[in-house]
Amino acid sequence: MLSMSVQMQDHDAFKQKKNTVVVKVGMLGDSGIGKTSLMVKYIEDKYDEDYIETLGVNFMEKVIQLRNVNVTISIWDLGGQREFATLMPLVCSDAKVILFAFDLTQKSSMFSVKRWYKEARKENKMFMPFLIGTKFDLFEELEEHHKTDITKNARKFARKMRAPLIYCSSAQSINVKKIFKVIIAKVFNLKPKIKEAHDATKEALVEFEGNVADEQGDEEDGDEANGDKKRKKDKKKKDKKDKKRKEKKKKKKRKKKRDKKRKLKEDGDADDAEDDAEEDGDDDDSKEE
């Protein structure tokens, strides 16, 4: 009986282990942009304005139930200071997803994403990138043209990274859970059961299908591409004309040179003939004498 009980316990432990999946999520971005706030808000549903700056790596976990599987969301948050760059492999290694966070009120933090992304790809070629704009509650207070400009650039970055783009606020609990719902859906190849939002002047963006962001971006990029095409075409045309003009000029110069040579030769031959005629005339005169 004891042997059977032990076997049953082993079987249950094996079954539980078999039904547990770990999804490692890395978080990268500049210092002071709200990465730790986002992680703590999701894991513990707490928010504190006075979080101490992350020194090195922060690590937290949360288990969620997905059908008959226990999914452990394991979040690794790297401090944004350059001195912690040596810990990048620890955060990126085996990560299924990496969140590239930026402060929606600090444009410079968004442009830093490019560097973070490149460095992360050196450590892990397989992760799924997400572009996360933090502090949406402060972003809402910005003037409309600032919002439009930041969103235009964010969409551009998201397209290049092939990443979902989500705006959030840990302070106001906006889209925090939605970020991780989309992560789970993408990791397990499921359709997210949440609506997308595309107008950043009215609500926090949630774009994970890529279609609207791509269409709007493609429209903008299309105009630029068409302009570039036209400029290239005009330049090619101009270069061709310049080349023809130069060739024509060279041809003209060569012809002029040939004509000059021929003229000089003709003049030389004429002078020789004249000299010969004079010599013949002298000979005749001497004979008559």
Side-chain angles (χ1 to χ4, degrees), residues 86-261:
T86 51
L87 298 171
M88 180 84 76
L90 187 65
V91 173
C92 297
S93 177
D94 299 324
K96 291 272 197 305
V97 171
I98 294 181
L99 307 183
F100 294 91
F102 69 96
D103 183 339
L104 284 162
T105 64
Q106 289 179 22
K107 209 171 176 183
S108 59
S109 68
M110 178 167 54
F111 290 114
S112 294
V113 166
K114 191 177 179 182
R115 173 174 51 81
W116 287 110
Y117 180 79
K118 279 184 178 179
E119 289 179 15
R121 277 293 179 215
K122 288 175 190 173
E123 305 298 335
N124 182 339
K125 306 285 184 193
M126 304 303 290
F127 70 79
M128 280 187 274
F130 275 61
L131 186 58
I132 306 297
T134 63
K135 304 185 184 179
F136 179 75
D137 53 309
L138 301 179
F139 173 81
E140 280 188 298
E141 295 169 14
L142 298 178
E143 289 179 18
E144 200 145 320
H145 69 276
H146 285 307
K147 292 181 187 178
T148 304
D149 182 48
I150 288 163
T151 300
K152 182 183 172 184
N153 282 295
R155 278 184 171 136
K156 225 175 238 187
F157 273 72
R159 272 199 317 280
K160 283 179 182 175
M161 292 161 64
R162 295 174 183 244
L165 172 62
I166 303 174
Y167 289 1
C168 70
S169 167
S170 302
Q172 300 293 327
S173 301
I174 299 168
N175 286 348
V176 174
K177 288 180 181 177
K178 284 182 182 179
I179 290 168
F180 292 90
K181 281 181 180 179
V182 176
I183 286 172
I184 294 299
K186 292 285 182 185
V187 168
F188 293 98
N189 203 22
L190 305 168
K191 189 172 175 64
K193 292 179 179 179
I194 56 174
K195 284 183 179 179
E196 290 190 292
H198 304 294
D199 189 349
T201 61
K202 293 176 183 175
E203 56 189 337
L205 285 190
V206 180
E207 296 181 341
F208 50 82
E209 295 295 350
N211 46 14
V212 173
D214 283 347
E215 281 168 17
Q216 290 178 354
D218 289 344
E219 201 175 306
E220 291 160 9
D221 292 346
D223 292 340
E224 287 173 23
N226 289 336
D228 289 342
K229 252 183 190 176
K230 193 178 185 302
R231 279 193 291 275
K232 280 180 185 176
K233 201 176 179 182
D234 290 344
K235 194 179 180 299
K236 207 174 178 182
K237 212 174 180 181
K238 189 178 177 294
D239 290 345
K240 207 174 178 181
K241 275 184 181 178
D242 288 344
K243 198 179 176 183
K244 275 186 178 179
R245 193 162 52 244
K246 280 177 186 176
E247 281 176 6
K248 205 175 180 182
K249 207 173 179 182
K250 279 181 185 177
K251 222 174 181 182
K252 207 173 180 182
K253 211 173 179 182
R254 284 198 296 267
K255 190 177 181 299
K256 204 174 180 182
K257 214 172 180 181
R258 282 200 302 272
D259 290 346
K260 196 176 179 183
K261 275 185 183 178

Side-chain angles (χ1 to χ4, degrees), residues 34 36-38 40-41 45-52 170-171:
T36 305
S37 296
L38 175 60
V40 175
K41 183 67 183 172
D45 197 20
K46 290 178 185 173
Y47 176 76
D48 185 348
E49 284 183 11
D50 304 317
Y51 280 121
I52 298 165
S170 302

